[in-house]
Amino acid sequence: MNTDTPGTAIGQLQAKAESGETEAQYQFGICLWEGIGMPADPEAALEWVTLAAGKGHTPAQVWLGSLYLSSQDEEQARFWFEKAALQGNARAMYYLSLIYVRGNVFGADPMLAFEWLKKAAENGLTEAMCKLGIMHCLGHGVEKDHHHAVQWFQEAALKGDSNAQILLATAYLTGAGVPQEESAATYWFVQVKNSCTDSKTFLVMADMVSEGGLMPCSRVSSFILLSIHGSLFPETKVDLSTLTGAMSEEQLIQAKRIVRHILPEGGHGARTLQ
């Protein structure tokens, strides 16, 4: 493809790509895919990115892996993710783990999924840290161990992962992998309130901690999350009656005490306490 504009940035990028510069080949391919500075041309884009990936360009390999994964071609996705992972790319390691968890093409392999996820976490990928903690909780690919789970939740929580913060707070409430400590749980719920902007996260995680699939059931944690949700998203109505009906008086007292600390100024969430 010829941009016919050799003096422009795109034209210069094309010239570098055609001269064999790997990074330029990748960048030019992305521009073609996105239609940046020229009409989009997915077929030509794929050729350029594949050329760069074949020369060992890690971002190109990850991009191709993600593209093939989204189109359900897990064989090609694994091919490119493995190349990037072997060069130390944490996101490629994470996606390889997902492929082995799903098992759609190669069969589920929990141990291999765990190993790739652990590598991704050890290489600093926050979402991998949280999911690694979950695998420890569930005993998927590794022996069930709440102590190690909490260690990974702590790592991810410190990096701002809201799911990890919720699970860490719940661990402190239930004593799963750590001593029970209400003050520590409260601290992490405050971090959730300050960092999480997604309504769905509160609702999904409230169900998860209430069901007790990952750690001991904590309706107190669920009540707190729904109360914070009510404060942050007052337009979304959530019925707490089923939850509170399943809670003991002691649990309600604790939950309300923590919520009042988190939401001292009241609001919709606090009104659920009346």
Side-chain angles (χ1 to χ4, degrees):
M1 177 178 181
N2 192 336
T3 63
D4 294 324
T5 52
T8 66
I10 291 296
Q12 293 169 6
L13 183 63
Q14 179 180 2
K16 290 180 180 180
E18 290 174 343
S19 72
E21 291 189 22
T22 306
E23 174 66 21
Q25 291 169 344
Y26 167 64
Q27 294 292 344
F28 186 58
I30 297 301
C31 288
L32 280 166
W33 185 268
E34 301 289 345
I36 299 173
M38 68 193 98
D41 188 339
E43 184 176 346
L46 192 58
E47 290 179 2
W48 280 111
V49 176
T50 301
L51 180 61
K55 293 163 67 176
H57 190 276
T58 305
Q61 293 167 345
V62 175
W63 187 89
L64 283 175
S66 301
L67 177 67
Y68 285 118
L69 189 62
S70 66
S71 63
Q72 307 301 314
D73 187 345
E74 291 191 1
E75 187 170 356
Q76 281 294 312
R78 185 181 74 163
F79 175 82
W80 289 112
F81 283 141
E82 279 188 345
K83 286 187 174 296
L86 292 173
Q87 294 190 78
N89 185 276
R91 187 153 297 280
M93 297 170 185
Y94 174 76
Y95 282 127
L96 276 176
S97 174
L98 293 185
I99 288 173
Y100 287 114
V101 166
R102 295 173 181 176
N104 294 337
V105 174
F106 305 101
D109 190 331
M111 293 183 66
L112 192 54
F114 176 84
E115 287 304 319
W116 278 118
L117 191 61
K118 184 179 180 182
K119 289 179 184 293
E122 290 174 341
N123 277 273
L125 191 65
T126 304
E127 59 208 89
M129 295 174 185
C130 184
K131 285 186 170 57
L132 189 64
I134 290 173
M135 290 188 80
H136 275 292
C137 283
L138 296 173
H140 283 179
V142 67
E143 186 176 349
K144 185 178 290 189
D145 185 337
H146 281 104
H147 176 70
H148 280 96
V150 168
Q151 289 180 332
W152 285 111
F153 292 148
Q154 175 89 19
E155 291 282 341
L158 288 170
K159 291 178 176 289
D161 186 291
S162 298
N163 289 333
Q165 291 169 347
I166 291 167
L167 292 170
L168 185 58
T170 303
Y172 277 113
L173 279 179
T174 61
V178 288
Q180 282 184 288
E181 188 179 336
E182 185 176 305
S183 61
T186 301
Y187 170 84
W188 284 110
F189 280 123
V190 170
Q191 305 314 303
V192 174
K193 178 179 75 73
N194 293 336
S195 67
C196 187
T197 58
D198 178 28
S199 170
K200 185 177 179 180
T201 294
F202 284 97
L203 301 179
V204 170
M205 295 301 288
D207 282 342
M208 182 180 294
V209 297
S210 180
E211 291 170 0
L214 296 181
M215 55 185 65
C217 170
S218 181
R219 295 188 178 91
V220 172
S221 183
S222 182
F223 182 97
I224 294 167
L225 289 172
L226 292 176
S227 296
I228 298 172
H229 176 274
S231 176
L232 296 177
F233 307 97
E235 71 283 359
T236 304
K237 305 298 181 182
V238 178
D239 184 5
L240 289 175
S241 59
T242 301
L243 176 63
T244 55
M247 296 172 68
S248 68
E249 183 178 356
E250 182 180 356
Q251 289 173 328
L252 276 171
I253 290 173
Q254 182 186 32
K256 292 177 181 181
R257 179 171 63 245
I258 294 174
V259 169
R260 288 193 178 98
H261 181 87
I262 298 169
L263 305 172
E265 297 179 0
H268 179 81
R271 286 200 297 274
T272 66
L273 309 181
Q274 302 302 318

